[in-house]
């Protein structure tokens, strides 16, 4: 019998690989204190939610202050801000993803865009094609309204495309202008949302090439979803004053923690893997409570979750884009070896937990 | 659990208890690289075994271990840190194992031997056992005992034990909190049996969570820690064990209804 630590399985050698990653944020960055000051917030309960959430700074599209305070934004202004922001930081993330490989939008064969922070028609892909010069023959999908977990749902789409079309480039773009889904009605629920979510865009480039090596990027080996239908109302958009207002149930972080072992057990079990075989964990920066719940249910250490925690601290919760920011931090560390495995976890409305297995 | 034979260990299973005896009698159970690999292997097998709830770590032929085997280092090339890193990785696997761990010490327990004892949930020794962290005296470091020891004994005593490197007896180790049980040599096996018995019943979730929180208790502030605690306790009270507990506590009628439901 071989020791399990020496166990290496030649995972689907011709699975598509993630070749590149790019991220972008709005130019303005705010501390939690600055946001409180801009909204003239005096309520100590709301202030403590902002200052105790383990977030230091966020990049946000906030309106120009008038007499030191930000004016209220109408629903029309919020919708316009979503598109304007998406078309500013989306292209930046795409360029940062393509340029290192000497690629241009014209080279991309499939474009999949994710957003949950504004409804629009035509979708973001159409706007990006017009703005950036993608081919008029490009295949595209817009995934709207799936929430924080949607990045992995999008990764499933680009991976499937890449697998079915070897040699073709598939580009995933998550662009979230969470500040376009802010409602200031002084309730504690909206305070939690307004203190947590930040603006950001992230892109991943995927292709299937049998001649590529681990140095080109990790193979996307497998996915395992888990949905908790009885918690369908735990995270959702409500309408308040005709504006979309995100609702977040108090207990949902712990419910996610309790359920996260199920998809992880199935994903690892299917490949005869144990948790100790996974070198890297790329977990959505949902918030302090859900990060703790995942840590103590999966037995992940502070080291395992270092990027999840640092992305939350530096950017807030970027919804579907967060885990790609963590993935980028991992790549920048240069700690990955040939044969290493990573598990990605995102969680969001549904209530939904999405997982993916990567192999270098 | 499927048993294997090892060059440096004797591994036996009795019921749900696996006993790993360090076994290099010709060199007083000194720890070499082979032993590190063997320990890592057996610990991983124990981690995956569903029919094991306690791992006992002990010596053999009246000695626990005399510490690191310096003969293992080559004279031809500069020593590298990676073997020692492997040792620390193995230690961490024992410290976070998903079973109860017991260190049972007879005779000399020196250097790396003491480091192994510090990893375990229950730590006992016979009266004549002698402990010593002699690494600094010899010009190197007692591994991550530098991280663990002060949490057991306090910084002052840790400095004394590590920097002065004096041998200390089982009774003293008991008073310091390094051991939690000391017995006569004649009653060693009997005491070990009792200690193993007292650890049960085995609730894997509760063990993992309580031990992790205890190991982390010096590392973070109250606000961070209570977040960790609540996440851990939420998992514990949603376990099968807790469910059975509240069913038992309920009135017979309520329990019957709950079981039906």
């Amino acid at each position: 019998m071989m020791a399990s630590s020496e166990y290496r399985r030649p995972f689907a050698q011709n699975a598509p690989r993630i070749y590149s990653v790019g991220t972008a944020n709005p130019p303005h960055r705010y501390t939690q204190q600055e946001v409180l000051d801009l909204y003239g917030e005096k309520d100590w309960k709301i202030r403590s939610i902002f200052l105790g959430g383990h977030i230091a700074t966020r990049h946000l599209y906030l309106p120009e202050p008038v007499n030191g305070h930000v004016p209220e934004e109408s629903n029309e202004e919020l919708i316009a801000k979503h598109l304007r922001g998406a078309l500013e930081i989306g292209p930046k993330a795409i360029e940062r993803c393509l340029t290192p490989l000497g690629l241009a939008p014209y080279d991309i064969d499939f474009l999949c865009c994710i957003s949950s922070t504004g409804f629009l028609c035509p979708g973001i892909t159409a706007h990006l094609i017009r703005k950036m010069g993608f081919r008029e023959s490009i295949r595209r999908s817009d995934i709207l309204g799936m929430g924080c977990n949607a990045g992995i749902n999008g990764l499933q789409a680009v991976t499937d495309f890449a697998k079915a079309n070897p040699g073709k480039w598939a580009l995933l773009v998550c662009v979230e202008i969470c500040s376009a889904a802010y409602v200031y009605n002084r309730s504690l629920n909206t305070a939690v949302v307004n203190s947590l979510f930040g603006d950001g865009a992230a892109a991943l480039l995927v292709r299937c090439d049998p001649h590529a090596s681990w140095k080109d990027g990790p193979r996307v080996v497998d996915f395992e979803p888990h949905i908790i239908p009885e918690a369908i109302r735990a995270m959702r958009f409500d309408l308040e004053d005709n504006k979309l207002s995100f609702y977040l149930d108090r207990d949902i972080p712990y419910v996610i923690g309790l359920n996260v072992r199920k998809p992880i057990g199935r994903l690892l079990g299917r490949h005869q893997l144990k948790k100790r075989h996974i070198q890297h964990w790329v977990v959505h920066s949902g918030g302090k409570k859900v990060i703790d719940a995942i840590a103590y249910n999966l037995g992940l250490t502070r080291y395992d979750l270092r990027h999840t925690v640092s992305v939350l601290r530096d950017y807030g919760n970027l919804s579907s884009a967060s885990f790609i920011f963590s993935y980028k931090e991992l790549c920048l560390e240069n700690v990955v070896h040939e044969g290493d495995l990573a598990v990605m976890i995102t969680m969001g409305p549904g209530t939904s937990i999405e997982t993916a297995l990567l192999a270098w | 659990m499927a048993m294997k034979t090892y060059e440096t260990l004797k591994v036996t299973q009795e019921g749900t208890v696996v006993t790993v005896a360090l076994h290099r009698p010709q060199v007083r159970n000194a720890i070499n690289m082979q032993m590190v690999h063997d320990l890592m292997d057996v610990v991983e097998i124990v981690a995956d075994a569903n029919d094991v709830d306690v791992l006992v770590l002990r010596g053999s032929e009246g000695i626990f271990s005399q510490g690191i085997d310096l003969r293992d280092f080559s004279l031809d090339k500069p020593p590298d840190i990676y073997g020692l890193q492997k040792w620390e990785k193995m230690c961490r696997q024992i410290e976070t194992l998903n079973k109860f761990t017991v260190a049972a010490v007879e005779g000399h327990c020196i250097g790396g031997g003491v480091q192994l004892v510090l990893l375990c949930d229950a730590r006992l020794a016979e009266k004549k056992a002698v402990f010593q962290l002699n690494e600094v005296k010899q010009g190197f470091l007692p591994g991550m005992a530098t991280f663990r020891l002060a949490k057991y004994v306090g910084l002052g005593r840790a400095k004394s034990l590590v920097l002065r490197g004096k041998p200390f007896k089982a009774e003293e180790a008991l008073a310091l909190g390094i051991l939690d049980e000391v017995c006569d040599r004649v009653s060693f096996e009997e005491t070990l049996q009792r200690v193993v018995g007292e650890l049960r019943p085995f609730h894997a979730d509760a063990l993992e969570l309580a031990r992790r929180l205890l190991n982390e208790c010096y590392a973070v502030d109250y606000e961070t820690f209570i977040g960790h605690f609540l996440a851990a306790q939420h998992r514990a009270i949603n376990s099968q064990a807790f469910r059975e507990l509240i069913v038992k506590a309920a009135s017979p009628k309520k329990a019957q209804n709950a079981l039906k439901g």
Side-chain angles (χ1 to χ4, degrees):
Chain A
M1 199 162 98
M2 210 158 80
S4 15
S5 57
E6 293 155 20
Y7 180 90
R8 278 277 185 270
R9 187 186 161 89
F11 287 100
Q13 282 300 331
N14 46 14
R17 288 176 193 274
I18 300 177
Y19 276 74
S20 185
V21 54
T23 65
N25 300 90
H28 288 290
R29 196 172 73 162
Y30 301 88
T31 64
Q32 295 290 72
Q33 186 63 54
E34 284 167 345
V35 176
L36 286 169
D37 292 345
L38 282 170
Y39 283 89
E41 190 53 74
K42 299 277 191 295
D43 185 321
W44 69 269
K45 268 190 167 169
I46 291 178
R47 293 180 65 88
S48 70
I49 288 171
F50 269 74
L51 300 172
H54 298 259
I55 294 167
T57 57
R58 290 175 295 161
H59 294 258
L60 297 168
Y61 285 112
L62 295 183
E64 275 299 307
V66 179
N67 301 327
H69 293 311
V70 291
E72 199 182 324
E73 294 165 276
S74 71
N75 194 29
E76 290 74 14
E77 285 169 327
L78 290 171
I79 290 172
K81 177 163 87 174
H82 174 252
L83 181 59
R84 202 174 53 244
L87 292 184
E88 181 174 80
I89 61 176
K92 273 194 194 141
I94 292 171
E95 274 164 23
R96 287 170 188 164
C97 182
L98 298 184
T99 308
L101 294 174
L103 295 171
Y106 192 83
D107 299 305
I108 303 305
D109 303 287
F110 176 49
L111 176 61
C112 177
C113 283
I114 315 268
S115 189
S116 291
T117 45
F119 178 77
L120 71 173
C121 177
I124 295 172
T125 54
H127 288 280
L128 286 174
I129 288 165
R130 190 170 93 119
K131 188 178 164 100
M132 297 189 72
F134 288 93
R135 290 201 311 271
E136 58 188 24
S137 63
I138 191 169
R139 281 208 209 174
R140 62 198 182 95
S141 288
D142 283 275
I143 297 179
L144 276 176
M146 282 188 81
C148 297
N149 53 280
I152 289 186
N153 302 89
L155 187 60
Q156 291 162 6
V158 292
T159 304
D160 287 346
F161 172 88
K163 209 182 279 176
N165 300 276
K168 304 229 175 201
W169 292 110
L171 182 64
L172 171 70
V173 183
C174 298
V175 48
E176 303 288 7
I177 312 299
C178 295
S179 61
Y182 281 3
V183 175
Y184 274 84
N185 62 2
R186 333 227 41 171
S187 80
L188 289 186
N189 181 61
T190 55
V192 169
V193 170
N194 298 343
S195 73
L196 177 60
F197 290 96
D199 298 343
L204 284 182
L205 185 65
V206 172
R207 183 171 73 155
C208 193
D209 175 0
H211 305 298
S213 87
W214 71 276
K215 288 189 173 156
D216 293 311
R219 279 160 287 142
V220 187
V221 174
D222 203 356
F223 295 97
E224 182 65 26
H226 186 79
I227 188 154
I228 312 158
E230 60 271 25
I232 191 168
R233 291 182 57 74
M235 287 174 277
R236 61 176 196 261
F237 267 136
D238 285 337
L239 278 178
E240 292 196 39
D241 311 327
N242 292 322
K243 294 178 193 171
L244 289 178
S245 168
F246 195 64
Y247 171 82
L248 202 54
D249 194 272
R250 195 174 70 122
D251 291 335
I252 196 61
Y254 293 149
V255 173
I256 288 170
L258 211 54
N259 280 277
V260 72
R261 284 144 67 92
K262 297 174 187 170
I264 294 298
R266 296 195 294 265
L267 182 72
L268 299 186
R270 187 150 73 227
H271 298 279
Q272 291 87 50
L273 292 169
K274 301 280 174 185
K275 216 201 72 207
R276 64 170 178 274
H277 298 127
I278 307 302
Q279 287 80 14
H280 313 288
W281 295 84
V282 180
V283 179
H284 168 54
S285 306
K288 156 115 174 71
K289 231 168 155 182
V290 77
I291 296 171
D292 285 346
I294 286 179
Y296 283 84
N297 276 282
L298 288 180
L300 301 185
T301 64
R302 283 195 287 173
Y303 180 78
D304 292 328
L305 293 166
R306 63 199 180 282
H307 301 312
T308 301
V309 170
S310 80
V311 167
L312 182 70
R313 183 192 64 220
D314 297 340
Y315 300 98
N317 178 336
L318 300 173
S319 189
S320 67
S322 280
F323 82 111
I324 304 179
F325 276 70
S326 282
Y327 172 76
K328 191 182 106 178
E329 293 297 322
L330 173 65
C331 293
L332 288 174
E333 269 186 325
N334 252 333
V335 294
V336 172
H337 296 96
E338 182 172 15
D340 277 6
L341 301 176
V343 166
M344 292 177 149
I345 305 174
T346 60
M347 48 283 181
T351 289
S352 164
I353 302 168
E354 296 290 344
T355 67
L357 178 64
L358 309 184
W360 272 269
Chain B
M1 191 181 111
M3 280 305 151
K4 289 167 65 174
T5 54
Y6 294 95
E7 204 180 307
T8 67
L9 308 173
K10 276 200 167 157
V11 183
T12 52
Q13 180 171 6
E14 233 176 283
T16 57
V17 181
V18 166
T19 300
V20 173
L22 311 180
H23 188 73
R24 296 182 73 210
Q26 68 285 9
V27 290
R28 301 169 61 81
N29 304 330
I31 299 161
N32 63 357
M33 223 37 233
Q34 185 59 47
M35 187 182 280
V36 176
H37 285 128
D38 288 351
L39 280 169
M40 207 172 231
D41 190 87
V42 77
V43 166
E44 287 188 358
I45 292 172
V46 167
D48 294 345
N50 293 325
D51 61 343
V52 178
D53 59 9
V54 180
L55 173 75
V56 176
L57 206 56
R58 61 185 298 176
S60 50
E61 310 199 5
I63 294 163
F64 191 80
S65 173
Q66 73 147 34
I68 192 167
D69 191 345
L70 294 170
R71 279 156 294 208
D72 222 32
F73 287 86
S74 164
L75 278 173
D76 307 327
K77 53 177 187 188
D80 70 41
I81 194 71
Y82 299 105
L84 297 169
Q85 193 178 17
K86 195 137 221 177
W87 156 259
E88 295 301 343
K89 189 178 171 194
M90 186 279 297
C91 285
R92 188 66 170 166
Q93 284 177 333
I94 294 177
E95 191 173 40
T96 58
L97 185 69
N98 57 353
K99 322 287 181 205
F100 282 116
T101 51
V102 180
V105 180
E106 295 169 279
H108 276 77
C109 178
I110 313 296
V114 180
Q115 294 181 46
L116 287 175
V117 171
L118 294 176
L119 308 172
C120 293
D121 300 325
R123 301 160 311 280
L124 77 132
E126 50 89 10
K127 260 192 190 125
K128 295 272 166 62
V130 176
F131 299 82
Q132 187 181 15
L133 286 162
N134 61 355
E135 288 93 337
V136 171
K137 276 256 169 300
Q138 300 180 68
F140 60 107
L141 305 178
M144 287 291 275
T146 48
F147 177 77
R148 296 186 176 98
L149 183 64
K151 291 170 186 160
Y152 279 95
V153 304
L155 183 58
R157 294 185 188 95
K159 276 187 175 168
S160 166
L161 295 179
V162 170
L163 303 182
R164 291 165 78 175
K166 284 203 298 199
F168 54 103
K169 289 189 174 150
E171 292 288 358
E172 203 181 332
L174 178 70
L176 287 168
I178 294 173
L179 296 176
D180 50 17
E181 193 90 38
V182 171
C183 64
D184 289 327
R185 185 164 254 181
V186 285
S187 58
F188 186 69
E189 302 301 330
E190 188 188 318
T191 308
L192 175 56
Q193 292 260 341
R194 176 171 57 73
V195 168
V196 166
E198 283 168 359
L199 287 170
R200 297 186 178 115
F202 170 62
H203 297 301
D205 288 358
L207 167 64
E208 177 197 328
L209 295 168
R211 184 209 273 146
R212 178 171 176 183
L213 289 169
L214 289 170
N215 278 337
E216 291 173 353
C217 72
Y218 289 91
V220 294
D221 56 81
Y222 178 86
E223 302 304 333
T224 309
F225 197 88
I226 194 163
H228 297 176
F229 160 73
L230 291 172
Q233 184 75 305
H234 183 267
R235 177 175 159 197
I237 62 176
N238 280 281
S239 68
Q240 185 58 30
F242 194 77
R243 172 84 190 152
E244 282 163 20
L245 208 61
I246 55 176
V247 166
K248 234 158 84 186
S251 67
K253 198 168 167 207
K254 254 167 89 183
Q256 246 178 12
N257 288 342
L259 286 174
K260 266 186 230 155

